[in-house]
Amino acid sequence: ALRYLIAEANYGGRITDDWDRRLCNVYVAQFFCEEALSMPNYPMSDLPDYYIPEDGDLKSYKDYIRSLPMTDAPAAFGQHPNADIQSAIQDTDELLATIVSLQPRVVTEGGASNEDKVLALAADLERQVPEVFDVEEVHARMAGRSDPEPLKTVLFQEVDRYNRLLKVIIRGLDNLQKGIKGLVVITPELENVFDSTLVGNVPTAWSFCYPSL
């Protein structure tokens, strides 16, 4: 009853992601079990610091809480040490994004406006973007090579993926320049490209192909 109440109703009912709900059920099943009641100092993780203390007065519980590490290691939650690295990366990204968003965007007298800066950057990027690969030519060149077939398959997939990315970038830069000049309507996607270009970030619309971007 307690497992269902916590994992599916009171807390789990607020979880929308299926994988997060599954993880919540795993945690609840691990902590709410017969061993937690029958085993002295039942371990809550592989680390020796985390366990269910024995019955005592209020002071004993406070002393146990004070003895816990100030920073919880990923193993305390049953996660791999790499989870700490990913968490630090996300915290750093959020911190830098906040700092960038707080930068003033006013134009000093005699200085270039944000539109002028982005327009120049977009034109420069457009000149640097390589041309789309000729898929037929790539297939023809690889046909006579003795490379393993799996490597060729991966190459063809990467060429297709890269071509899609190049087309989106070229179209986005062209529409961005037209939008700044007032020739086309600025859509939310173009606004994101504008803001990202202004602060030196990769626009969200360009990260669909390679999540690492």
Side-chain angles (χ1 to χ4, degrees):
L2 284 176
R3 288 180 182 175
Y4 182 85
L5 186 64
I6 295 176
E8 299 292 345
N10 288 356
Y11 184 74
R14 305 164 187 253
I15 302 176
T16 57
D17 185 82
D18 292 336
W19 289 103
D20 289 341
R21 181 186 293 273
R22 180 177 178 180
L23 179 62
C24 179
N25 278 279
V26 170
Y27 281 148
V28 170
Q30 177 183 351
F31 299 145
F32 291 84
C33 58
E34 294 294 336
E35 291 79 3
L37 300 175
S38 59
M39 181 185 300
N41 296 331
Y42 175 74
M44 306 295 286
S45 74
D46 294 334
L47 300 177
D49 300 316
Y50 301 90
Y51 58 88
I52 299 178
E54 296 182 0
D55 291 340
D57 55 12
L58 179 60
K59 181 179 182 302
S60 67
Y61 296 134
K62 289 183 176 180
D63 291 339
Y64 169 71
I65 293 174
R66 292 191 186 97
S67 69
L68 293 174
M70 294 297 294
T71 303
D72 295 320
F77 307 99
Q79 297 182 354
H80 192 274
N82 285 348
D84 203 16
I85 300 176
Q86 184 62 29
S87 176
I89 292 175
Q90 291 180 354
D91 290 342
T92 302
D93 290 342
E94 291 179 2
L95 175 62
L96 294 177
T98 302
I99 294 175
V100 170
S101 66
L102 294 175
Q103 290 182 344
R105 297 189 179 183
V106 296
V107 179
T108 59
E109 185 176 356
S113 64
N114 291 336
E115 288 76 11
D116 292 336
K117 294 178 182 178
V118 174
L119 188 62
L121 286 172
D124 184 55
L125 288 173
E126 190 176 27
R127 288 192 295 269
Q128 297 181 40
V129 174
E131 296 182 0
V132 175
F133 288 102
D134 187 336
V135 178
E136 294 183 359
E137 181 181 352
V138 173
H139 280 264
R141 288 190 178 186
M142 296 301 298
R145 293 176 61 98
S146 60
D147 299 274
E149 288 300 322
L151 292 182
K152 293 182 180 179
T153 301
V154 172
L155 174 63
F156 299 150
Q157 292 174 348
E158 289 299 303
V159 168
D160 291 337
R161 184 179 292 109
Y162 204 65
N163 277 350
R164 292 200 304 271
L165 177 61
L166 289 175
K167 291 177 182 178
V168 170
I169 292 176
I170 294 172
R171 184 173 63 251
L173 291 174
D174 181 60
N175 288 336
L176 178 61
Q177 295 177 75
K178 291 180 179 178
I180 294 175
K181 296 175 181 178
L183 301 178
V184 297
V185 177
I186 295 291
T187 62
E189 180 179 325
L190 285 181
E191 187 175 358
N192 172 259
V193 175
F194 179 95
D195 294 336
S196 299
T197 305
L198 183 61
V199 297
N201 290 336
V202 177
T204 305
W206 298 357
S207 61
F208 73 98
C209 202
Y210 291 93
S212 60
L213 294 177

